[in-house]
Amino acid sequence: MTAPRRPLPQWARDASLGIFVHWGPYSVPAWAEPMRALGAVPDDEWFAHNAYAEWYANTIRLEGSPAAEHHALTYGDAPYEDFLDAWRAEAYDPADWARLFRAVGADYVVPTTKHHDGVALWDAPGSGDLTTVARGPRRDLIAPLADAVRAEGLRFGVYYSGGLDWSFTDLPPHRSSDDVAALRPTDAAYAAYAHAHVADLVDRYRPDLIWNDIDWPDAAKQPGPHSIESLLAHYRDAVPEGIVNDRWGAKVWDYRTSEYDHDTDHEADAGWEHCRGLGFSFGYNRVEDASLTLSPRELARLYADVVSRGGRLLLNVGPTAAGEIPDVQRRTLEGVAPWMTAVKPHTIGRRVIDSDAVEVTDATWWRAWATPDGLVAVVDGPAASARARDGRAVTTFVLPN
């Protein structure tokens, strides 16, 4: 299935920073082995040693995995759904989140609305009691965040796991990438279920962006009332400037994505997006301390690298089960905020340039891009200087300490 490519709307071309939010029942155990980044670990090792806390429901099913051992020692044989009932979100303050995201320079915010565990964070149609309205927090967690984000002048998107739903099927756990492709719901019943979910998200929240994950049920890749084509037609009618990512298992995307060290070959087309957490996990992992979390300096360097190559950075935060941004993550965001506030205006209308367009001296690392007003250089080194070989003005920023 192929859809004609559309040019990205101006807001997406100018955007350079999004905030991802992974929050779910997995935030209650909040545990994963902080192995290394996705893409830097062999596939036959990754799944049993999964660094993603949001994959907890899968990893604890793998006999002998560190997560299974941790679960048995901490929770015995308690089923994963117990974490939904234990989740309270008692400290959730979406206005505080939104203020923090705006302060760090975010252009858009994308929370998870349903992850692979199948738990919906709103009153999703057909989900029964597997929602935060029916159990746990007992309320819609998406609507107040959408309102708070937009009140701060940011755009609002939604994440949805269309490819995996461990609550919908009784399939074996995933032990490899091949399993992810093979052991997923693909039939007409799940296609109708997922279609109803995303259509409801569109109708309720009018998201500026839909971030689908893994794939989409195969039954929906053919024409019909629950097809991807009909779903995206509904979306684009409701939100003409709305955009979708590239994880549908079909060529319907508006932009490509990479994740940590995975799919870096996608970092080429205009408007590509790189996503990662502040640590190795997306969901909150209580094991990740400051040594496993990007510092303000490391975050600034990552951002400058992505921007210089024409991309956007979708940076994840993983709130605690209570709804607080962990101190170790908040320190990085607040620490980089002054630097980001200074740099962000110089990313509007940016264009990629050849490295030889700029001459940089006394820098151990640097990145540069063009804007309508000249060139911008980000350098590592307080004594570094930059000049354009064609005489254009260069605005220089030094990485924060």
Side-chain angles (χ1 to χ4, degrees), residues 15-20 37-39 52 108 110 209 211 245-247 255-279 282 294 298-299 301-316 350:
S16 58
L17 180 66
I19 299 292
F20 228 175
L38 177 70
Y52 288 176
Y108 58 103
V110 184
L209 184 155
W211 213 99
N245 70 341
D246 61 346
R247 301 191 180 191
Y255 66 93
R256 305 307 303 268
T257 61
S258 62
E259 181 173 333
Y260 286 94
D261 293 335
H262 185 64
D263 282 337
T264 54
D265 57 313
H266 292 176
E267 298 177 350
D269 286 354
W272 60 272
E273 179 189 75
H274 177 68
C275 71
R276 62 156 293 159
L278 281 160
F282 286 91
L294 291 176
E298 290 168 333
L299 175 53
R301 177 168 167 155
L302 171 65
Y303 172 77
D305 177 61
V306 169
V307 168
S308 73
R309 294 186 288 119
R312 303 190 306 272
L313 175 62
L314 182 58
L315 179 73
N316 183 79
R350 64 192 179 280

Short mmCIF file of all heavy atoms in Angstrom, two decimals, residues 15-20 37-39 52 108 110 209 211 245-247 255-279 282 294 298-299 301-316 350:
data_model
loop_
_atom_site.label_atom_id
_atom_site.label_comp_id
_atom_site.label_asym_id
_atom_site.label_seq_id
_atom_site.Cartn_x
_atom_site.Cartn_y
_atom_site.Cartn_z
N ALA A 15 9.79 22.94 13.37
CA ALA A 15 9.96 22.29 14.68
C ALA A 15 11.30 21.58 14.75
O ALA A 15 11.79 21.04 13.76
CB ALA A 15 8.82 21.31 14.92
N SER A 16 11.89 21.58 15.92
CA SER A 16 13.17 20.89 16.10
C SER A 16 13.21 20.04 17.36
O SER A 16 14.09 19.21 17.51
CB SER A 16 14.33 21.90 16.15
OG SER A 16 14.15 22.83 17.20
N LEU A 17 12.22 20.22 18.27
CA LEU A 17 12.24 19.47 19.52
C LEU A 17 10.82 19.07 19.92
O LEU A 17 9.93 19.92 20.05
CB LEU A 17 12.86 20.30 20.64
CG LEU A 17 12.92 19.62 22.01
CD1 LEU A 17 13.87 18.41 21.98
CD2 LEU A 17 13.35 20.61 23.09
N GLY A 18 10.63 17.78 20.10
CA GLY A 18 9.39 17.26 20.65
C GLY A 18 9.68 16.55 21.96
O GLY A 18 10.81 16.13 22.22
N ILE A 19 8.66 16.42 22.79
CA ILE A 19 8.77 15.67 24.03
C ILE A 19 7.86 14.45 23.95
O ILE A 19 6.65 14.57 23.75
CB ILE A 19 8.39 16.51 25.27
CG1 ILE A 19 9.33 17.72 25.40
CG2 ILE A 19 8.42 15.64 26.53
CD1 ILE A 19 10.76 17.38 25.75
N PHE A 20 8.45 13.28 24.05
CA PHE A 20 7.76 12.00 24.14
C PHE A 20 7.45 11.75 25.61
O PHE A 20 8.28 12.06 26.49
CB PHE A 20 8.72 10.92 23.64
CG PHE A 20 8.16 9.94 22.65
CD1 PHE A 20 9.02 9.00 22.09
CD2 PHE A 20 6.83 9.93 22.27
CE1 PHE A 20 8.56 8.06 21.17
CE2 PHE A 20 6.36 9.01 21.35
CZ PHE A 20 7.22 8.07 20.80
N ALA A 37 21.98 0.88 24.46
CA ALA A 37 20.97 1.44 23.57
C ALA A 37 20.48 0.42 22.56
O ALA A 37 21.22 -0.46 22.12
CB ALA A 37 21.55 2.65 22.84
N LEU A 38 19.19 0.57 22.19
CA LEU A 38 18.64 -0.24 21.11
C LEU A 38 19.48 -0.03 19.85
O LEU A 38 19.81 1.10 19.48
CB LEU A 38 17.20 0.18 20.83
CG LEU A 38 16.51 -0.54 19.66
CD1 LEU A 38 16.25 -1.99 20.02
CD2 LEU A 38 15.22 0.16 19.28
N GLY A 39 19.82 -1.13 19.20
CA GLY A 39 20.65 -1.05 18.00
C GLY A 39 22.12 -1.28 18.27
O GLY A 39 22.89 -1.57 17.36
N TYR A 52 14.23 -1.42 27.98
CA TYR A 52 12.99 -0.63 27.97
C TYR A 52 12.06 -1.08 29.09
O TYR A 52 11.48 -2.18 29.03
CB TYR A 52 12.29 -0.77 26.63
CG TYR A 52 12.94 -0.08 25.45
CD1 TYR A 52 12.41 -0.23 24.18
CD2 TYR A 52 14.06 0.71 25.60
CE1 TYR A 52 12.98 0.41 23.08
CE2 TYR A 52 14.66 1.34 24.53
CZ TYR A 52 14.11 1.19 23.26
OH TYR A 52 14.67 1.83 22.18
N TYR A 108 6.37 20.42 20.35
CA TYR A 108 5.21 19.52 20.40
C TYR A 108 5.44 18.46 21.46
O TYR A 108 6.58 18.21 21.89
CB TYR A 108 4.94 18.88 19.03
CG TYR A 108 6.08 18.09 18.42
CD1 TYR A 108 6.08 16.69 18.44
CD2 TYR A 108 7.16 18.72 17.80
CE1 TYR A 108 7.11 15.96 17.87
CE2 TYR A 108 8.20 17.99 17.23
CZ TYR A 108 8.17 16.62 17.27
OH TYR A 108 9.20 15.89 16.70
N VAL A 110 4.13 14.42 22.70
CA VAL A 110 3.49 13.19 22.22
C VAL A 110 3.43 12.16 23.36
O VAL A 110 4.42 11.46 23.61
CB VAL A 110 4.25 12.58 21.03
CG1 VAL A 110 3.52 11.36 20.49
CG2 VAL A 110 4.47 13.61 19.92
N LEU A 209 -0.20 15.27 15.38
CA LEU A 209 0.71 14.22 14.95
C LEU A 209 0.20 12.88 15.49
O LEU A 209 -0.24 12.80 16.64
CB LEU A 209 2.11 14.53 15.50
CG LEU A 209 3.30 13.65 15.16
CD1 LEU A 209 4.58 14.48 15.30
CD2 LEU A 209 3.41 12.45 16.08
N TRP A 211 1.69 9.15 16.08
CA TRP A 211 2.95 8.40 16.13
C TRP A 211 2.60 6.93 16.36
O TRP A 211 2.51 6.46 17.50
CB TRP A 211 3.82 8.92 17.26
CG TRP A 211 5.30 8.89 17.04
CD1 TRP A 211 6.09 9.92 16.65
CD2 TRP A 211 6.18 7.76 17.26
NE1 TRP A 211 7.41 9.52 16.59
CE2 TRP A 211 7.49 8.20 16.95
CE3 TRP A 211 5.99 6.45 17.65
CZ2 TRP A 211 8.60 7.37 17.04
CZ3 TRP A 211 7.09 5.62 17.74
CH2 TRP A 211 8.38 6.07 17.44
N ASN A 245 3.91 9.27 11.26
CA ASN A 245 5.27 8.75 11.13
C ASN A 245 5.30 7.55 10.19
O ASN A 245 4.34 7.28 9.46
CB ASN A 245 5.84 8.42 12.52
CG ASN A 245 5.16 7.21 13.16
OD1 ASN A 245 4.06 6.81 12.77
ND2 ASN A 245 5.80 6.63 14.15
N ASP A 246 6.38 6.78 10.25
CA ASP A 246 6.64 5.75 9.24
C ASP A 246 6.54 4.33 9.75
O ASP A 246 7.08 3.40 9.15
CB ASP A 246 8.04 5.96 8.65
CG ASP A 246 9.16 5.86 9.69
OD1 ASP A 246 8.85 5.88 10.90
OD2 ASP A 246 10.33 5.75 9.29
N ARG A 247 5.81 4.10 10.85
CA ARG A 247 5.81 2.77 11.45
C ARG A 247 4.46 2.04 11.28
O ARG A 247 3.94 1.43 12.20
CB ARG A 247 6.18 2.87 12.93
CG ARG A 247 7.56 3.49 13.11
CD ARG A 247 8.07 3.36 14.51
NE ARG A 247 9.40 3.96 14.65
CZ ARG A 247 10.18 3.81 15.70
NH1 ARG A 247 9.78 3.07 16.73
NH2 ARG A 247 11.36 4.40 15.76
N TYR A 255 6.99 11.33 7.37
CA TYR A 255 8.40 11.50 7.73
C TYR A 255 8.94 10.20 8.30
O TYR A 255 8.20 9.33 8.75
CB TYR A 255 8.58 12.64 8.74
CG TYR A 255 7.95 12.37 10.09
CD1 TYR A 255 8.69 11.79 11.13
CD2 TYR A 255 6.61 12.67 10.34
CE1 TYR A 255 8.12 11.53 12.36
CE2 TYR A 255 6.04 12.41 11.57
CZ TYR A 255 6.80 11.85 12.57
OH TYR A 255 6.23 11.58 13.80
N ARG A 256 10.26 10.05 8.28
CA ARG A 256 10.93 8.85 8.76
C ARG A 256 11.42 9.03 10.20
O ARG A 256 11.63 10.16 10.66
CB ARG A 256 12.13 8.48 7.87
CG ARG A 256 11.85 8.33 6.39
CD ARG A 256 10.71 7.38 6.06
NE ARG A 256 10.90 6.04 6.60
CZ ARG A 256 11.50 5.04 5.93
NH1 ARG A 256 12.00 5.26 4.71
NH2 ARG A 256 11.60 3.84 6.46
N THR A 257 11.65 7.90 10.89
CA THR A 257 12.09 7.94 12.28
C THR A 257 13.28 7.02 12.50
O THR A 257 13.42 5.98 11.86
CB THR A 257 10.96 7.50 13.23
OG1 THR A 257 10.60 6.15 12.93
CG2 THR A 257 9.74 8.40 13.11
N SER A 258 14.12 7.42 13.45
CA SER A 258 15.17 6.54 13.98
C SER A 258 14.99 6.49 15.49
O SER A 258 14.31 7.34 16.08
CB SER A 258 16.56 7.06 13.61
OG SER A 258 16.79 8.34 14.18
N GLU A 259 15.62 5.49 16.12
CA GLU A 259 15.45 5.29 17.56
C GLU A 259 16.77 4.80 18.14
O GLU A 259 17.25 3.72 17.78
CB GLU A 259 14.34 4.27 17.80
CG GLU A 259 14.04 3.98 19.25
CD GLU A 259 12.81 3.10 19.41
OE1 GLU A 259 11.92 3.12 18.53
OE2 GLU A 259 12.73 2.37 20.42
N TYR A 260 17.37 5.60 19.01
CA TYR A 260 18.70 5.30 19.52
C TYR A 260 19.62 4.97 18.35
O TYR A 260 19.76 5.78 17.43
CB TYR A 260 18.63 4.16 20.56
CG TYR A 260 18.06 4.59 21.89
CD1 TYR A 260 16.70 4.43 22.16
CD2 TYR A 260 18.85 5.16 22.88
CE1 TYR A 260 16.16 4.82 23.39
CE2 TYR A 260 18.33 5.55 24.11
CZ TYR A 260 16.99 5.38 24.35
OH TYR A 260 16.46 5.77 25.55
N ASP A 261 20.22 3.77 18.33
CA ASP A 261 21.14 3.40 17.25
C ASP A 261 20.45 2.56 16.18
O ASP A 261 21.12 1.94 15.34
CB ASP A 261 22.33 2.61 17.81
CG ASP A 261 23.22 3.45 18.70
OD1 ASP A 261 23.23 4.68 18.54
OD2 ASP A 261 23.91 2.88 19.58
N HIS A 262 19.13 2.54 16.20
CA HIS A 262 18.35 1.71 15.27
C HIS A 262 17.75 2.58 14.16
O HIS A 262 17.30 3.71 14.41
CB HIS A 262 17.24 1.01 16.05
CG HIS A 262 16.44 0.04 15.24
ND1 HIS A 262 16.98 -1.10 14.68
CD2 HIS A 262 15.14 0.04 14.89
CE1 HIS A 262 16.05 -1.77 14.05
NE2 HIS A 262 14.92 -1.10 14.14
N ASP A 263 17.73 2.07 12.92
CA ASP A 263 17.15 2.76 11.76
C ASP A 263 17.82 4.10 11.49
O ASP A 263 17.16 5.05 11.04
CB ASP A 263 15.64 2.96 11.94
CG ASP A 263 14.84 1.70 11.67
OD1 ASP A 263 15.35 0.81 10.95
OD2 ASP A 263 13.71 1.57 12.18
N THR A 264 19.12 4.20 11.72
CA THR A 264 19.81 5.46 11.45
C THR A 264 19.88 5.76 9.95
O THR A 264 20.16 6.90 9.57
CB THR A 264 21.23 5.44 12.05
OG1 THR A 264 21.94 4.29 11.56
CG2 THR A 264 21.16 5.37 13.57
N ASP A 265 19.61 4.75 9.12
CA ASP A 265 19.57 5.00 7.68
C ASP A 265 18.38 5.87 7.30
O ASP A 265 18.31 6.38 6.18
CB ASP A 265 19.52 3.69 6.90
CG ASP A 265 18.35 2.81 7.30
OD1 ASP A 265 18.11 2.63 8.52
OD2 ASP A 265 17.66 2.28 6.41
N HIS A 266 17.42 6.04 8.21
CA HIS A 266 16.25 6.90 7.96
C HIS A 266 16.57 8.38 8.17
O HIS A 266 15.72 9.23 7.90
CB HIS A 266 15.09 6.51 8.88
CG HIS A 266 14.51 5.16 8.58
ND1 HIS A 266 13.52 4.60 9.36
CD2 HIS A 266 14.78 4.26 7.61
CE1 HIS A 266 13.19 3.42 8.87
NE2 HIS A 266 13.96 3.18 7.80
N GLU A 267 17.75 8.68 8.65
CA GLU A 267 18.10 10.05 8.99
C GLU A 267 18.61 10.80 7.76
O GLU A 267 19.73 11.30 7.74
CB GLU A 267 19.14 10.06 10.11
CG GLU A 267 18.63 9.42 11.39
CD GLU A 267 19.66 9.36 12.50
OE1 GLU A 267 20.86 9.64 12.23
OE2 GLU A 267 19.29 9.02 13.62
N ALA A 268 17.76 10.88 6.77
CA ALA A 268 18.19 11.49 5.51
C ALA A 268 17.13 12.41 4.93
O ALA A 268 17.40 13.56 4.61
CB ALA A 268 18.56 10.40 4.50
N ASP A 269 15.90 11.92 4.77
CA ASP A 269 14.84 12.74 4.18
C ASP A 269 14.59 13.99 5.02
O ASP A 269 14.78 13.98 6.24
CB ASP A 269 13.54 11.95 4.07
CG ASP A 269 13.59 10.93 2.95
OD1 ASP A 269 14.59 10.93 2.20
OD2 ASP A 269 12.64 10.14 2.81
N ALA A 270 14.15 15.05 4.38
CA ALA A 270 13.83 16.29 5.10
C ALA A 270 12.78 16.02 6.16
O ALA A 270 11.80 15.32 5.92
CB ALA A 270 13.33 17.35 4.12
N GLY A 271 13.00 16.57 7.36
CA GLY A 271 12.01 16.44 8.41
C GLY A 271 12.05 15.13 9.16
O GLY A 271 11.10 14.80 9.89
N TRP A 272 13.13 14.35 9.04
CA TRP A 272 13.22 13.10 9.80
C TRP A 272 13.26 13.40 11.29
O TRP A 272 13.56 14.51 11.72
CB TRP A 272 14.43 12.28 9.36
CG TRP A 272 15.76 12.94 9.54
CD1 TRP A 272 16.41 13.74 8.65
CD2 TRP A 272 16.61 12.85 10.70
NE1 TRP A 272 17.61 14.16 9.17
CE2 TRP A 272 17.76 13.62 10.42
CE3 TRP A 272 16.52 12.18 11.92
CZ2 TRP A 272 18.81 13.76 11.33
CZ3 TRP A 272 17.56 12.31 12.84
CH2 TRP A 272 18.69 13.09 12.53
N GLU A 273 12.98 12.36 12.09
CA GLU A 273 12.88 12.54 13.53
C GLU A 273 13.63 11.43 14.25
O GLU A 273 13.50 10.26 13.91
CB GLU A 273 11.40 12.52 13.94
CG GLU A 273 11.14 12.68 15.43
CD GLU A 273 9.68 12.41 15.74
OE1 GLU A 273 9.28 11.22 15.72
OE2 GLU A 273 8.94 13.39 15.96
N HIS A 274 14.43 11.83 15.24
CA HIS A 274 15.16 10.87 16.06
C HIS A 274 14.54 10.84 17.44
O HIS A 274 14.36 11.87 18.07
CB HIS A 274 16.63 11.27 16.17
CG HIS A 274 17.43 10.37 17.07
ND1 HIS A 274 17.71 9.06 16.74
CD2 HIS A 274 17.99 10.57 18.30
CE1 HIS A 274 18.42 8.51 17.71
NE2 HIS A 274 18.59 9.40 18.67
N CYS A 275 14.20 9.63 17.93
CA CYS A 275 13.62 9.52 19.28
C CYS A 275 14.51 8.69 20.18
O CYS A 275 15.16 7.74 19.74
CB CYS A 275 12.21 8.95 19.24
SG CYS A 275 12.09 7.20 18.81
N ARG A 276 14.54 9.08 21.44
CA ARG A 276 15.28 8.34 22.46
C ARG A 276 14.87 8.88 23.83
O ARG A 276 14.29 9.95 23.96
CB ARG A 276 16.79 8.45 22.30
CG ARG A 276 17.36 9.84 22.43
CD ARG A 276 18.84 9.78 22.84
NE ARG A 276 18.99 9.26 24.20
CZ ARG A 276 20.11 8.72 24.67
NH1 ARG A 276 21.18 8.63 23.89
NH2 ARG A 276 20.18 8.28 25.93
N GLY A 277 15.20 8.14 24.87
CA GLY A 277 14.97 8.60 26.22
C GLY A 277 16.16 9.36 26.76
O GLY A 277 17.24 9.37 26.16
N LEU A 278 15.98 9.96 27.92
CA LEU A 278 17.09 10.61 28.59
C LEU A 278 18.08 9.58 29.11
O LEU A 278 19.26 9.86 29.29
CB LEU A 278 16.58 11.49 29.73
CG LEU A 278 16.01 12.83 29.30
CD1 LEU A 278 15.09 13.42 30.36
CD2 LEU A 278 17.12 13.81 28.98
N GLY A 279 17.59 8.35 29.35
CA GLY A 279 18.45 7.22 29.67
C GLY A 279 18.33 6.19 28.56
O GLY A 279 18.09 6.55 27.40
N PHE A 282 12.48 4.24 27.80
CA PHE A 282 11.44 5.25 27.60
C PHE A 282 10.59 5.34 28.87
O PHE A 282 10.44 6.40 29.46
CB PHE A 282 10.58 4.92 26.38
CG PHE A 282 11.28 5.16 25.07
CD1 PHE A 282 12.01 4.16 24.44
CD2 PHE A 282 11.21 6.39 24.44
CE1 PHE A 282 12.64 4.38 23.22
CE2 PHE A 282 11.84 6.64 23.23
CZ PHE A 282 12.56 5.62 22.62
N LEU A 294 21.34 11.35 30.23
CA LEU A 294 22.01 12.43 29.52
C LEU A 294 22.16 13.65 30.43
O LEU A 294 21.21 14.06 31.10
CB LEU A 294 21.21 12.84 28.28
CG LEU A 294 21.14 11.86 27.11
CD1 LEU A 294 20.21 12.41 26.03
CD2 LEU A 294 22.53 11.60 26.53
N GLU A 298 25.35 16.82 27.28
CA GLU A 298 25.16 15.74 26.32
C GLU A 298 23.87 15.91 25.53
O GLU A 298 23.83 15.63 24.32
CB GLU A 298 25.15 14.40 27.06
CG GLU A 298 26.50 14.00 27.61
CD GLU A 298 26.42 12.84 28.58
OE1 GLU A 298 25.36 12.66 29.23
OE2 GLU A 298 27.43 12.11 28.70
N LEU A 299 22.84 16.40 26.19
CA LEU A 299 21.58 16.65 25.49
C LEU A 299 21.74 17.77 24.47
O LEU A 299 21.25 17.66 23.33
CB LEU A 299 20.48 16.98 26.49
CG LEU A 299 19.13 17.37 25.90
CD1 LEU A 299 18.61 16.33 24.91
CD2 LEU A 299 18.11 17.61 27.02
N ARG A 301 24.41 18.63 22.91
CA ARG A 301 25.21 18.11 21.79
C ARG A 301 24.37 17.23 20.87
O ARG A 301 24.45 17.33 19.64
CB ARG A 301 26.41 17.33 22.34
CG ARG A 301 27.27 16.69 21.28
CD ARG A 301 28.56 16.19 21.86
NE ARG A 301 29.27 15.30 20.93
CZ ARG A 301 30.58 15.10 20.94
NH1 ARG A 301 31.34 15.71 21.82
NH2 ARG A 301 31.14 14.29 20.07
N LEU A 302 23.55 16.36 21.46
CA LEU A 302 22.67 15.52 20.66
C LEU A 302 21.71 16.37 19.84
O LEU A 302 21.52 16.13 18.63
CB LEU A 302 21.88 14.58 21.58
CG LEU A 302 20.75 13.78 20.93
CD1 LEU A 302 21.30 12.79 19.91
CD2 LEU A 302 19.92 13.06 22.00
N TYR A 303 21.10 17.36 20.47
CA TYR A 303 20.16 18.23 19.78
C TYR A 303 20.83 18.95 18.61
O TYR A 303 20.29 18.98 17.49
CB TYR A 303 19.59 19.24 20.77
CG TYR A 303 18.75 20.32 20.15
CD1 TYR A 303 17.44 20.07 19.75
CD2 TYR A 303 19.26 21.61 19.97
CE1 TYR A 303 16.67 21.08 19.19
CE2 TYR A 303 18.49 22.62 19.41
CZ TYR A 303 17.20 22.34 19.01
OH TYR A 303 16.44 23.33 18.45
N ALA A 304 22.01 19.51 18.83
CA ALA A 304 22.71 20.23 17.77
C ALA A 304 23.05 19.30 16.61
O ALA A 304 22.97 19.69 15.43
CB ALA A 304 23.98 20.88 18.32
N ASP A 305 23.44 18.07 16.92
CA ASP A 305 23.77 17.12 15.86
C ASP A 305 22.54 16.80 15.01
O ASP A 305 22.60 16.80 13.78
CB ASP A 305 24.33 15.83 16.48
CG ASP A 305 24.61 14.77 15.44
OD1 ASP A 305 25.44 15.02 14.55
OD2 ASP A 305 23.98 13.70 15.50
N VAL A 306 21.41 16.52 15.66
CA VAL A 306 20.18 16.18 14.92
C VAL A 306 19.73 17.36 14.08
O VAL A 306 19.40 17.21 12.89
CB VAL A 306 19.08 15.75 15.91
CG1 VAL A 306 17.73 15.65 15.20
CG2 VAL A 306 19.44 14.41 16.55
N VAL A 307 19.70 18.55 14.66
CA VAL A 307 19.25 19.75 13.95
C VAL A 307 20.16 20.04 12.75
O VAL A 307 19.68 20.37 11.66
CB VAL A 307 19.21 20.95 14.91
CG1 VAL A 307 19.04 22.26 14.13
CG2 VAL A 307 18.06 20.79 15.90
N SER A 308 21.46 19.88 12.93
CA SER A 308 22.40 20.19 11.85
C SER A 308 22.21 19.29 10.64
O SER A 308 22.57 19.65 9.53
CB SER A 308 23.84 20.10 12.35
OG SER A 308 24.23 18.74 12.53
N ARG A 309 21.63 18.11 10.87
CA ARG A 309 21.42 17.16 9.79
C ARG A 309 19.98 17.16 9.28
O ARG A 309 19.56 16.25 8.59
CB ARG A 309 21.84 15.76 10.25
CG ARG A 309 23.33 15.66 10.51
CD ARG A 309 23.80 14.26 10.83
NE ARG A 309 23.38 13.80 12.15
CZ ARG A 309 22.60 12.75 12.38
NH1 ARG A 309 22.10 12.05 11.35
NH2 ARG A 309 22.27 12.40 13.60
N GLY A 310 19.24 18.20 9.64
CA GLY A 310 17.90 18.39 9.09
C GLY A 310 16.79 17.69 9.84
O GLY A 310 15.66 17.61 9.35
N GLY A 311 17.09 17.16 11.04
CA GLY A 311 16.10 16.39 11.77
C GLY A 311 15.45 17.13 12.92
O GLY A 311 15.76 18.28 13.22
N ARG A 312 14.52 16.42 13.55
CA ARG A 312 13.90 16.85 14.80
C ARG A 312 14.27 15.83 15.87
O ARG A 312 14.38 14.64 15.60
CB ARG A 312 12.36 16.91 14.69
CG ARG A 312 11.84 17.79 13.58
CD ARG A 312 10.31 17.98 13.71
NE ARG A 312 9.57 16.72 13.79
CZ ARG A 312 9.13 16.04 12.74
NH1 ARG A 312 9.37 16.49 11.51
NH2 ARG A 312 8.44 14.92 12.89
N LEU A 313 14.42 16.28 17.10
CA LEU A 313 14.67 15.40 18.22
C LEU A 313 13.38 15.21 19.01
O LEU A 313 12.79 16.19 19.47
CB LEU A 313 15.76 15.96 19.13
CG LEU A 313 16.04 15.18 20.42
CD1 LEU A 313 16.53 13.76 20.10
CD2 LEU A 313 17.06 15.91 21.30
N LEU A 314 12.93 13.96 19.15
CA LEU A 314 11.79 13.63 20.00
C LEU A 314 12.37 12.99 21.26
O LEU A 314 12.72 11.82 21.27
CB LEU A 314 10.83 12.69 19.28
CG LEU A 314 9.55 12.31 20.04
CD1 LEU A 314 8.74 13.54 20.42
CD2 LEU A 314 8.70 11.34 19.23
N LEU A 315 12.48 13.78 22.30
CA LEU A 315 13.16 13.39 23.53
C LEU A 315 12.14 12.89 24.55
O LEU A 315 11.17 13.59 24.85
CB LEU A 315 13.93 14.59 24.10
CG LEU A 315 14.66 14.34 25.40
CD1 LEU A 315 15.89 13.46 25.15
CD2 LEU A 315 15.07 15.65 26.05
N ASN A 316 12.37 11.72 25.07
CA ASN A 316 11.39 11.11 25.98
C ASN A 316 11.64 11.42 27.45
O ASN A 316 12.77 11.44 27.91
CB ASN A 316 11.39 9.60 25.80
CG ASN A 316 10.34 8.93 26.66
OD1 ASN A 316 9.16 8.92 26.30
ND2 ASN A 316 10.73 8.39 27.81
N ARG A 350 15.78 26.40 9.08
CA ARG A 350 17.15 25.89 8.94
C ARG A 350 17.31 25.04 7.68
O ARG A 350 16.36 24.44 7.19
CB ARG A 350 17.52 25.06 10.17
CG ARG A 350 16.69 23.82 10.36
CD ARG A 350 16.92 23.21 11.74
NE ARG A 350 16.11 22.01 11.95
CZ ARG A 350 14.83 22.00 12.28
NH1 ARG A 350 14.19 23.15 12.42
NH2 ARG A 350 14.19 20.86 12.47
#
